[in-house]
Amino acid sequence: MDEKLVKKVLIHLEPSKDQEEKMWKKIEQYESNVTETEKIKKHSFGFGRIKRTGFAYRLGIATLVAIFMAGTVAIADAATGGIISDKIGEVINKTIGKEEERQIVDQAGKVSDQNIEVYASDILHMDDELLIFGNMRGIIVYDLLKDSVLGTIDTQDIDCIYFDSEEKETCLYKEGDSIFVFNIENKNISGSVYEYQWKKQERMTLVRSINEKDLIKKIYQKWEKSQNYIDTFQAFSENDAVDIHFNCFDKDCNCKYSRRSIVCNDKVCFLYMKDRKYYLCTVTNNQKNFSKRELILNYKNDEETLDGKTMPEFIYDGKDAELNTIVEYMKKEGESYLTEEGSVWIPGFVIYKKVEKNGETLIFGNFYNYIYQKIGNIMESNAGGEYPACFHLKKSGDSYKVVSVDTAGDGEYYAKDIKRFTKGYHGLYEKYMDWDTNKVLIEEAKNDYIKMYISRNSLDVKYYKDYGWDPVKIK
């Protein structure tokens, strides 16, 4: 358990003296039933030297809670009337929950500056009190009456990250005090349905995971009936009353609008983003009246702590010295495209053949390279391209240096150039042009290089994603 979190929990425990004695007696009774091996492990943490009073006592109790969670919490709860689990739950919600909420709200602001997203978020639900929208980092529940964020839902924690994807779509349905989040694939709910409610800990809390087929089917049917959207651009781009930019070609404009507008009784609503500000746009009275309301999203604005702000550069950790030389060569060019904070260049090289010829090492391959940004546990590509080539390397001490590079041009030169530098190597040209096989090889290469990057830098990344495609789990 996180040491800082443990300390925060300890501060809030504070059982009475009578409760302390009861807990200690019950824990000692529990200890007498553990195996000798468990006792050895227990004493290696120094539990035998802990006194029964003050901070040290509470530290001992909390550490036991962390290590013997299944048994000890139940014992401690029995002695304190549930004070331990209540306090721990409250503190965890207020510490971890608030950190996640900050990341989710901050990411909403960052979307305005990033080139990854083409559109602003669609509104997932709206009524007289609540406005709900989201992105891959999470869902924001906005209180329209108080003009503030009511709570957030960490969609990455439940694998509901398909807001801009090909096959899956993350959806939301609200009923009463419950918010249901789920993924849809092939017109059916895929996986579990997650029910959230606003709890006393002052955060959106997961109350249950629904897996019953009949109940899931009912939720899907209710959600389907509630869907009422129109295309924003088609409906309003030529409406003079709607005073926003739909065709913003200025690179500094940072304007985005929801692709779909939600129809709510007699009004149509969508989100509009400009310069890190969100606006709720509403069109009423048969599309004649337009209003724009700014949402109050309190971003952290501490640039050094924003998720992904200071991404380390890619370093090749493999044992292939020739490949390391090519990585360093390609990285110099690739990093010139790092125009956004928090982005990193990562290769995705597909190697077809290695040949020793005339004192040189020839490496044939398609040297794909990508620019990624970290969004929570997802590395999303916002730029990239292929680089079919043959690298000529020469041994230099324990390493190699690039002598020359045969590359392929664009358009009609693409195939001609590949034929030119693969001439004399039977079947090599066909490897470059075999798209079906290359699709598999490219994904394998992406996975391997991203895995190398996150392993070296101990990053909490589980997926990589190209815009418009489903996130891919890193193997």
Side-chain angles (χ1 to χ4, degrees):
M1 180 176 287
D2 189 305
E3 183 179 348
K4 292 181 180 179
L5 179 58
V6 170
K7 289 181 179 179
K8 289 181 180 180
V9 173
L10 295 175
I11 292 170
H12 290 78
L13 291 180
E14 299 178 350
S16 66
K17 289 185 179 180
D18 182 57
Q19 289 170 336
E20 287 181 1
E21 289 301 319
K22 287 182 180 179
M23 282 191 291
W24 189 257
K25 287 178 181 179
K26 287 185 176 290
I27 290 169
E28 285 179 337
Q29 182 181 356
Y30 171 77
E31 285 181 284
S32 66
N33 295 324
V34 300
T35 65
E36 289 300 315
T37 302
E38 288 171 327
K39 285 183 178 180
I40 292 171
K41 291 180 179 178
K42 171 177 68 65
H43 284 294
S44 70
F45 283 92
F47 293 155
R49 296 187 297 276
I50 294 173
K51 297 181 180 180
R52 303 187 188 187
T53 58
F55 182 82
Y57 171 77
R58 293 201 296 274
L59 177 59
I61 296 296
T63 310
L64 280 168
V65 168
I67 296 173
F68 300 109
M69 186 63 74
T72 312
V73 168
I75 293 170
D77 273 354
T80 64
I83 185 175
I84 297 295
S85 61
D86 282 350
K87 289 292 184 182
I88 290 175
E90 180 180 340
V91 175
I92 288 176
N93 279 331
K94 286 186 176 180
T95 54
I96 298 179
K98 289 299 181 182
E99 171 65 15
E100 292 166 348
E101 180 172 298
R102 182 192 65 77
Q103 289 184 11
I104 292 167
V105 175
D106 279 346
Q107 179 58 34
K110 291 174 69 179
V111 166
S112 179
D113 301 329
Q114 293 170 340
N115 292 324
I116 297 177
E117 304 294 340
V118 176
Y119 296 96
S121 302
D122 285 343
I123 296 173
L124 300 173
H125 170 85
M126 184 175 169
D127 54 37
D128 292 336
E129 297 180 359
L130 298 181
L131 165 68
I132 305 177
F133 60 99
N135 53 56
M136 286 191 304
R137 186 61 194 91
I139 289 172
I140 293 174
V141 183
Y142 191 85
D143 190 325
L144 291 169
L145 301 181
K146 295 181 179 179
D147 229 7
S148 62
V149 175
L150 177 65
T152 61
I153 296 173
D154 186 351
T155 52
Q156 294 188 350
D157 190 47
I158 55 175
D159 190 31
C160 289
I161 51 179
Y162 303 91
F163 291 97
D164 165 43
S165 300
E166 177 71 12
E167 297 180 359
K168 286 186 179 181
E169 179 185 6
T170 293
C171 302
L172 179 146
Y173 173 69
K174 181 183 179 297
E175 184 174 77
D177 294 330
S178 294
I179 293 174
F180 301 92
V181 183
F182 47 88
N183 295 322
I184 287 181
E185 186 175 15
N186 297 324
K187 297 184 178 180
N188 287 295
I189 291 179
S190 173
S192 303
V193 174
Y194 300 92
E195 181 181 359
Y196 289 82
Q197 291 182 353
W198 180 252
K199 289 293 186 179
K200 63 181 181 180
Q201 288 90 356
E202 298 183 350
R203 68 172 296 221
M204 204 62 64
T205 303
L206 176 63
V207 295
R208 62 170 172 162
S209 172
I210 302 171
N211 296 291
E212 296 87 350
K213 291 184 179 179
D214 290 342
L215 184 52
I216 286 177
K217 184 177 180 181
K218 289 180 180 179
I219 292 172
Y220 175 79
Q221 291 172 343
K222 290 180 180 179
W223 168 83
E224 191 175 32
K225 289 181 180 179
S226 71
Q227 298 302 285
N228 192 0
Y229 289 93
I230 61 174
D231 184 277
T232 304
F233 184 83
Q234 290 183 1
F236 303 120
S237 62
E238 297 183 3
N239 188 327
D240 293 335
V242 181
D243 185 22
I244 67 167
H245 292 286
F246 281 99
N247 295 300
C248 186
F249 300 108
D250 183 352
K251 66 177 182 178
D252 297 321
C253 177
N254 293 323
C255 299
K256 296 181 176 71
Y257 57 87
S258 301
R259 178 164 42 188
R260 299 185 305 168
S261 297
I262 190 169
V263 180
C264 305
N265 299 322
D266 62 340
K267 58 187 178 182
V268 182
C269 301
F270 62 91
L271 294 179
Y272 178 67
M273 298 164 52
K274 180 176 173 60
D275 299 328
R276 293 175 65 86
K277 293 182 180 180
Y278 276 71
Y279 300 91
L280 173 62
C281 297
T282 303
V283 185
T284 58
N285 191 20
N286 198 25
Q287 300 189 13
K288 294 181 180 179
N289 294 335
F290 173 75
S291 63
K292 188 171 66 173
R293 168 183 175 181
E294 183 180 348
L295 304 182
I296 308 303
L297 300 175
N298 294 319
Y299 309 127
K300 183 73 172 180
N301 287 329
D302 182 357
E303 294 297 329
E304 290 305 315
T305 64
L306 288 180
D307 189 28
K309 174 68 181 179
T310 54
M311 297 296 287
E313 68 172 323
F314 176 86
I315 301 294
Y316 178 72
D317 276 341
K319 298 180 179 180
D320 191 324
E322 298 147 335
L323 206 53
N324 180 64
T325 300
I326 299 174
V327 167
E328 292 303 310
Y329 180 92
M330 293 292 292
K331 181 163 57 172
K332 291 177 182 177
E333 180 177 348
E335 289 187 339
S336 65
Y337 294 96
L338 300 181
T339 58
E340 297 183 15
E341 296 288 359
S343 58
V344 59
W345 174 87
I346 298 180
F349 296 168
V350 176
I351 307 302
Y352 300 127
K353 192 176 184 67
K354 181 169 73 171
V355 176
E356 301 293 338
K357 184 178 180 181
N358 298 329
E360 293 182 349
T361 301
L362 277 57
I363 308 293
F364 295 89
N366 203 329
F367 301 89
Y368 292 88
N369 55 100
Y370 304 92
I371 305 298
Y372 289 97
Q373 287 185 314
K374 182 175 179 291
I375 301 176
N377 63 17
I378 300 173
M379 296 291 285
E380 183 169 26
S381 173
N382 65 357
E386 62 173 330
Y387 192 79
C390 172
F391 276 81
H392 295 246
L393 308 179
K394 199 170 187 65
K395 188 81 170 178
S396 177
D398 294 331
S399 60
Y400 289 81
K401 65 178 181 180
V402 176
V403 177
S404 61
V405 185
D406 298 320
T407 61
D410 296 328
E412 62 178 300
Y413 297 103
Y414 182 87
K416 289 181 180 179
D417 288 341
I418 295 176
K419 282 184 178 180
R420 171 179 51 79
F421 64 70
T422 59
K423 186 177 180 180
Y425 299 99
H426 179 70
L428 187 53
Y429 169 78
E430 287 74 19
K431 287 185 177 181
Y432 280 89
M433 308 306 289
D434 185 353
W435 176 240
D436 289 336
T437 300
N438 281 321
K439 281 195 299 184
V440 177
L441 296 176
I442 292 165
E443 293 305 315
E444 290 176 351
K446 282 183 183 178
N447 182 88
D448 291 344
Y449 283 100
I450 293 176
K451 188 175 180 180
M452 182 184 294
Y453 179 73
I454 64 177
S455 176
R456 177 183 178 86
N457 297 291
S458 302
L459 299 176
D460 58 335
V461 173
K462 297 180 180 178
Y463 302 87
Y464 66 87
K465 183 184 185 304
D466 293 326
Y467 181 80
W469 296 90
D470 292 355
V472 178
K473 195 159 191 175
I474 298 170
K475 300 176 183 178

